[in-house]
Amino acid sequence: MTSSYSDEHFMQVALDLAAAGQGFVEPNPMVGCVLVKDGEIIGQGYHQEYGSHHAEVEAIRSLASADDAKGCTAYVTLEPCCHHGKTPPCTRSLIDAKVSRVVIAMQDPFAKVDGGGISQLRDAGIEVVVGVLESDAKVLTAPFTKLVRTGRPWVIAKWAMTMDGRIATRTGDSQWISGPASRSEVHRLRSRVDAIVVGMGTVIADDPMLNARLNSSEYQGISVQGSVPNRIAQRIAQRVVLCHQRLPSQQSRLMETAKQFPTLLVTTPLVEEAELVNLESLAAKVLRLESGDRESMIGATLDYLGENGATNVMVEGGGEVLSSFFSANQIDEAHVYLGPKAFGGTGAAGPVGGIGVEKVADATLFELHDLDRFDDDVRLVYRRKPASK
């Protein structure tokens, strides 16, 4: 039977499957796999959580018999691994299953793979096609790719602002700009990231908890051909406070819950060491930096988080923290919530403070990645535009 569907069609199914692993598989990449024979999908799977079977193995396991894979085409969103890690190499699983063709969206940048999986499959006599829906796969795996190539996590900035671009009134009142549906979506984001970063201005003004508070009944989940269960990630993000000159109070909610939720204080020589010791006794971890330079502080924090396996980091700080991240050119993605209000006032704060750029040409360029509506709010998701070659 000749299939009426293209390679792109089946790869899109695999990409949709892969996305269901978001928040569960990190620091591994999200990967999906579809097995096709005679133009029909006979098996499918995705990497469901860190340390579990990879997508290729899940797809083969979904068959009534592994022998059913003989002669089929496997569509995989990322080059199959060829090394022993937490699981055996997926290339061996595909070879043993006697698939005849493997279509791959993108090559794996991880040094232990990076073309090795493709070579192993070809050496085994399997036809390999690379680059089908590659750009879509690169979007999906961008956080993983950045961590592999730079050692730093993917940075997501989030803020809510009014129609006229204010994050608070002229008196500092800010709750709430966005509605309940938007705030639930923010908690979904919190539930899948590895760290949430704020500055002391936010800690003092809002006394936040910075944890994900979301009832699973509110979550709509992801459904792919009715085969992927609705799931909500349950990661407990490390709460990171950039303490340039000041420290949180021992009575702050962050410090009172430091034993329950991991909390990191990033400090400079400008803070009082005696006060810092008291906070360490409350179970807060401390990253002591030798420099008080704000941009260096951002870089050192991201290096530390990357070294400790963080793939996605959310920045919820106020205008000064966001300004520091933008100035350091360390924002990869921005989730901007636009609420149906206008505050006005020349003294009302905007989302990004600091000195700002001098010329339009100096601004970091982003491109619109997604747009969603939550009741009367709008969420705009931007990603930093790749530098032209």
Side-chain angles (χ1 to χ4, degrees):
M1 178 186 297
T2 301
S3 173
S4 61
Y5 294 112
S6 64
D7 284 344
E8 287 77 9
H9 168 80
F10 292 118
M11 186 61 75
Q12 186 60 61
V13 175
L15 286 165
D16 291 341
L17 280 165
Q22 187 177 61
F24 296 89
V25 304
E26 292 84 355
N28 283 352
M30 293 174 278
V31 182
C33 177
V34 173
L35 304 178
V36 176
K37 183 181 285 187
D38 296 329
E40 300 290 336
I41 294 177
I42 62 170
Q44 59 187 25
Y46 67 101
H47 187 26
Q48 297 186 20
E49 60 182 61
Y50 181 69
S52 69
H53 296 297
H54 287 186
E56 299 90 330
V57 175
E58 288 285 356
I60 294 170
R61 282 163 56 92
S62 74
L63 300 173
S65 169
D67 293 338
D68 293 342
K70 184 177 180 180
C72 79
T73 296
Y75 292 84
V76 191
T77 59
L78 185 68
E79 177 184 5
C81 64
C82 54
H83 67 290
H84 279 272
K86 285 187 174 293
T87 61
C90 292
T91 50
R92 176 47 53 191
S93 296
L94 293 170
I95 292 168
D96 290 346
K98 295 182 172 57
V99 304
S100 63
R101 183 169 179 257
V102 178
V103 180
I104 299 168
M106 64 173 283
Q107 187 168 318
D108 190 339
F110 185 49
K112 291 184 178 180
V113 185
D114 199 15
I118 295 169
S119 296
Q120 279 191 12
L121 293 171
R122 285 176 172 159
D123 289 345
I126 296 173
E127 178 188 351
V128 179
V129 177
V130 183
V132 175
L133 297 188
E134 182 178 27
S135 60
D136 294 321
K138 285 183 175 180
V139 169
L140 186 72
T141 60
F144 166 76
T145 300
K146 182 187 178 186
L147 183 62
V148 167
R149 290 179 173 165
T150 71
R152 288 182 175 180
W154 187 259
V155 179
I156 304 169
K158 168 266 165 185
W159 67 84
M161 66 182 185
T162 61
M163 296 185 300
D164 57 340
R166 268 70 169 184
I167 62 171
T169 68
R170 60 182 175 79
T171 63
D173 187 29
S174 62
Q175 295 185 348
W176 295 100
I177 291 173
S178 58
S182 292
R183 297 198 295 275
S184 289
E185 192 63 23
V186 171
H187 282 283
R188 292 189 186 99
L189 177 58
R190 284 183 178 181
S191 73
R192 71 169 177 84
V193 300
D194 301 293
I196 300 169
V197 182
V198 297
M200 275 304 301
T202 296
V203 173
I204 293 172
D206 299 338
D207 192 21
M209 280 283 288
L210 300 181
N211 63 329
R213 301 182 296 279
L214 184 67
N215 296 326
S216 60
S217 61
E218 296 176 305
Y219 184 59
Q220 298 302 310
I222 301 172
S223 179
V224 182
Q225 294 189 345
S227 62
V228 180
N230 290 340
R231 303 195 301 164
I232 181 169
Q234 297 292 338
R235 302 181 86 84
I236 299 177
Q238 184 172 38
R239 305 175 303 178
V240 181
V241 183
L242 302 180
C243 308
H244 188 253
Q245 295 181 335
R246 299 172 290 179
L247 291 169
S249 163
Q250 293 186 46
Q251 289 71 46
S252 66
R253 295 202 293 172
L254 284 172
M255 293 299 99
E256 287 182 342
T257 58
K259 292 181 179 179
Q260 182 180 0
F261 303 106
T263 305
L264 174 69
L265 306 179
V266 182
T267 68
T268 73
L270 301 176
V271 304
E272 292 292 336
E273 182 67 24
E275 294 182 28
L276 193 55
V277 171
N278 291 332
L279 296 182
E280 283 183 296
S281 70
L282 298 176
K285 289 185 178 181
V286 175
L287 175 61
R288 292 175 170 85
L289 304 181
E290 296 180 357
S291 170
D293 177 73
R294 292 183 186 275
E295 289 191 21
S296 297
M297 191 179 196
I298 299 298
T301 301
L302 294 177
D303 287 338
Y304 174 87
L305 292 172
E307 289 167 4
N308 286 275
T311 305
N312 293 282
V313 171
M314 179 181 181
V315 181
E316 283 203 78
E320 292 306 313
V321 167
L322 285 171
S323 173
S324 296
F325 271 89
F326 273 108
S327 296
N329 201 26
Q330 292 300 323
I331 299 294
D332 299 298
E333 183 173 314
H335 291 209
V336 181
Y337 288 84
L338 192 64
K341 301 177 178 73
F343 289 166
T346 56
V352 182
I355 298 175
V357 300
E358 291 186 5
K359 299 179 180 179
V360 172
D362 296 334
T364 303
L365 186 59
F366 288 75
E367 53 190 8
L368 185 63
H369 178 68
D370 207 354
L371 188 153
D372 300 287
R373 177 174 176 170
F374 299 95
D375 295 332
D376 289 326
D377 300 335
V378 174
R379 180 185 65 180
L380 304 167
V381 177
Y382 290 96
R383 282 195 172 191
R384 184 167 52 176
K385 191 175 181 65
S388 57
K389 296 180 180 179

